[in-house]
Amino acid sequence: QVQLVESGGGLVQPGGSLRLSCVASERILGINVMNWYRQAPGKQRELVAVISSSGSTNYADSVKGRFTISRDNTKNTVYLQMNSLKPEDTAVYYCNAHRWYRSEWNDYWGQGTQVTVSS
């Protein structure tokens, strides 16, 4: 069981920046993919950014050029640097670990951290 704890959310003005952190209870090198999702009120949860164990990344079109996902394997931590924030980025952001373990895919989730972009 992988436990994930997010932090770094808060209230920020449009155009501002935030950095989210996700600390895992296990070595993230052993996790195939680490993801950031978000869910706005009344909307489905959407995938925002992906980073694989090899370091390759991918982003939703809505955040490309503004968000950067990264990882620090020594701290078992994944980050989401969010710049040029817009009101439509307001959502609860969730960290997800997607791991192939014991012949099946397993998903683990953090509790979420609220990001509010408003003037």
Side-chain angles (χ1 to χ4, degrees):
Q1 185 80 5
V2 179
Q3 296 181 336
L4 304 170
V5 178
E6 303 104 331
S7 62
L11 173 64
V12 63
Q13 292 187 341
S17 298
L18 282 175
R19 188 178 79 156
L20 306 183
S21 299
C22 170
V23 180
S25 60
E26 299 184 14
R27 294 172 64 249
I28 60 174
L29 275 175
I31 298 173
N32 301 77
V33 183
M34 296 292 296
N35 305 302
W36 283 98
Y37 284 78
R38 67 185 180 187
Q39 187 166 20
K43 294 188 177 181
Q44 289 189 332
R45 191 172 294 191
E46 64 170 340
L47 181 61
V48 175
V50 177
I51 187 164
S52 72
S53 56
S54 66
S56 62
T57 60
N58 205 356
Y59 300 90
D61 287 342
S62 58
V63 307
K64 278 181 183 175
R66 300 188 298 121
F67 290 11
T68 303
I69 188 170
S70 62
R71 58 196 295 157
D72 185 337
N73 295 329
T74 65
K75 297 181 179 179
N76 294 326
T77 301
V78 176
Y79 302 98
L80 186 67
Q81 177 67 44
M82 305 185 295
N83 299 327
S84 303
L85 283 161
K86 305 175 181 180
E88 50 264 43
D89 294 318
T90 295
V92 178
Y93 284 70
Y94 297 92
C95 182
N96 163 261
H98 189 60
R99 182 175 71 170
W100 180 256
Y101 183 68
R102 293 183 178 178
S103 302
E104 63 181 5
W105 285 103
N106 294 268
D107 279 285
Y108 306 93
W109 296 89
Q111 81 288 353
T113 185
Q114 176 71 47
V115 171
T116 303
V117 184
S118 175
S119 55

